[in-house]
Amino acid sequence: MYGVPFIEKTGLFTSIDIQFAGFMKAMSRGKGPNVALAAALASRNVRHGDVCLDLAAYAGKDIEPDPQAQGHLFCPDLKAWQDALLKSVMVGRPGEYRPLILDHSNRLYLYRYWEYEKKLGDALLERAIQPLPTIPKADFKDNLERLFPEEETDETNWQKIAALVAMLKRLCVISGGPGTGKTFAVARILAFLLEQHHDSNGALRIFLAAPTGKAASRLTESIARARKLLPCHDSIKDAIPDTGLTIHRLLKSRGQTTRFIYNAENKLPADVVVVDEASMVDLPLMSKLVQALLPATRLI
């Protein structure tokens, strides 16, 4: 067991934060206190929903203690903190394999979270810049105009633009507040994609996913309502999935572990994956999802 009294007495940290900090201190060859503090804060930040510790946001400041605690923490200035971390064998730069990673913007990561972020960023960039697929049908414009008719307004038809992006790119991000028609737009986009591909060999393999069971149920209900209103043939409506899955069910989790059957080595057989409530998906899960997609899969 590793103890770090000056961290423990604040009441700000859990046992796992303290043990991790103590281990980093013990292994850091004389640079322990500043490394221990950074490690404890990085571990605490992950529990609070951040993926890293921004040293500049804490450097030179008091950390507000728990009202019941006896002590407080004062963080070192940025240069001293950075120097102590970089002199520790437990801290590396991006690309190195160390328990803690300090990037060139003074963001300190637990290695696992740095790797999740790096792999997710690389995968999204690669998907975004892939060459445009060939548009498969001559009636592309007619289908687009029917599903996304022009309105009598000077405002941009963003739903039509979203459909074009989803057709021409492997990555499409659709944002908007409640009631702005995002789900209806997605239903029309799926119909558009299906119409463009219905002459190709095999139907498009489409999956609807969300981060929680409740969100998946809402997605299922919304898509079901939207399908009925689509101006397209019933065969196209029937090809749009009527069931939303949690991302865990989509990737098929392995029991009580954090691993999945579909992963970077065993890709999910999908042509289109729609993820609703994407802002609710945590970094590890989103990273694993994107890594599990085939290069040609469209991600909406």
Side-chain angles (χ1 to χ4, degrees):
M1 300 292 287
Y2 295 92
V4 193
F6 79 99
I7 289 177
E8 289 181 60
K9 66 183 180 182
T10 66
L12 290 169
F13 302 96
T14 64
S15 295
I16 195 167
D17 300 333
I18 294 164
Q19 291 299 310
F20 179 60
F23 180 67
M24 293 297 104
K25 178 177 180 290
M27 300 296 291
S28 291
R29 300 177 184 176
K31 302 296 178 184
N34 286 343
V35 174
L37 176 57
L41 287 169
S43 176
R44 174 175 173 257
N45 274 18
V46 165
R47 287 190 295 101
H48 289 176
D50 292 324
V51 299
C52 64
L53 169 68
D54 182 359
L55 294 183
Y58 287 82
K61 298 177 183 177
D62 272 305
I63 299 177
E64 187 69 29
D66 186 284
Q68 305 301 317
Q70 299 299 311
H72 70 99
L73 289 177
F74 186 79
C75 296
D77 67 72
L78 184 59
K79 183 64 167 63
W81 213 357
Q82 181 189 57
D83 288 346
L85 288 167
L86 291 176
K87 288 176 182 176
S88 169
V89 296
M90 308 306 284
V91 181
R93 286 297 196 182
E96 296 183 300
Y97 188 61
R98 304 286 178 86
L100 293 168
I101 299 297
L102 180 64
D103 73 9
H104 295 282
S105 296
N106 291 312
R107 293 177 296 221
L108 185 71
Y109 292 80
L110 305 183
Y111 177 83
R112 188 160 51 111
Y113 279 79
W114 173 83
E115 185 180 41
Y116 284 142
E117 186 175 88
K118 179 70 165 60
K119 287 184 176 180
L120 175 59
D122 287 349
L124 290 176
L125 285 172
E126 182 179 359
R127 192 168 297 277
I129 64 176
Q130 284 178 352
L132 301 181
T134 301
I135 298 174
K137 284 178 64 69
D139 54 0
F140 178 95
K141 184 177 179 181
D142 292 340
N143 291 344
L144 183 67
E145 295 297 335
R146 174 170 41 80
L147 287 164
F148 298 89
E150 290 295 338
E151 300 176 358
E152 294 182 2
T153 175
D154 292 332
E155 294 184 4
T156 302
N157 188 335
W158 289 109
Q159 292 193 357
K160 180 181 286 188
I161 290 176
L164 286 168
V165 173
M167 183 69 213
L168 300 175
K169 294 286 187 179
R170 304 299 187 191
L171 175 65
C172 176
V173 179
I174 301 174
S175 64
T180 54
K182 296 186 298 297
T183 306
F184 188 50
V186 167
R188 291 198 284 182
I189 287 169
L190 294 179
F192 180 54
L193 293 174
L194 285 162
E195 288 188 341
Q196 294 305 119
H197 289 83
H198 82 272
D199 287 338
S200 59
N201 294 328
L204 287 181
R205 297 165 297 179
I206 300 172
F207 293 94
L208 308 176
T212 66
K214 186 175 181 179
S217 295
R218 287 198 302 266
L219 177 60
T220 297
E221 294 168 2
S222 297
I223 291 291
R225 286 195 300 268
R227 284 198 315 177
K228 298 176 183 178
L229 303 174
L230 293 174
C232 60
H233 195 275
D234 285 347
S235 63
I236 297 296
K237 295 179 184 180
D238 292 342
I240 297 175
D242 58 2
T243 303
L245 306 172
T246 64
I247 297 174
H248 286 81
R249 283 190 63 195
L250 175 65
L251 298 181
K252 296 187 178 180
S253 57
R254 293 180 178 271
Q256 300 301 312
T257 73
T258 59
R259 291 175 293 179
F260 296 93
I261 290 176
Y262 294 117
N263 51 49
E265 285 72 44
N266 182 38
K267 301 291 188 178
L268 177 72
D271 298 302
V272 182
V273 172
V274 176
V275 182
D276 195 22
E277 302 284 3
S279 63
M280 293 172 56
V281 185
D282 64 32
L283 172 63
L285 186 57
M286 185 63 87
S287 185
K288 290 174 182 178
L289 169 63
V290 174
Q291 290 177 59
L293 300 181
L294 292 162
T297 301
R298 284 180 170 88
L299 175 62
I300 303 173

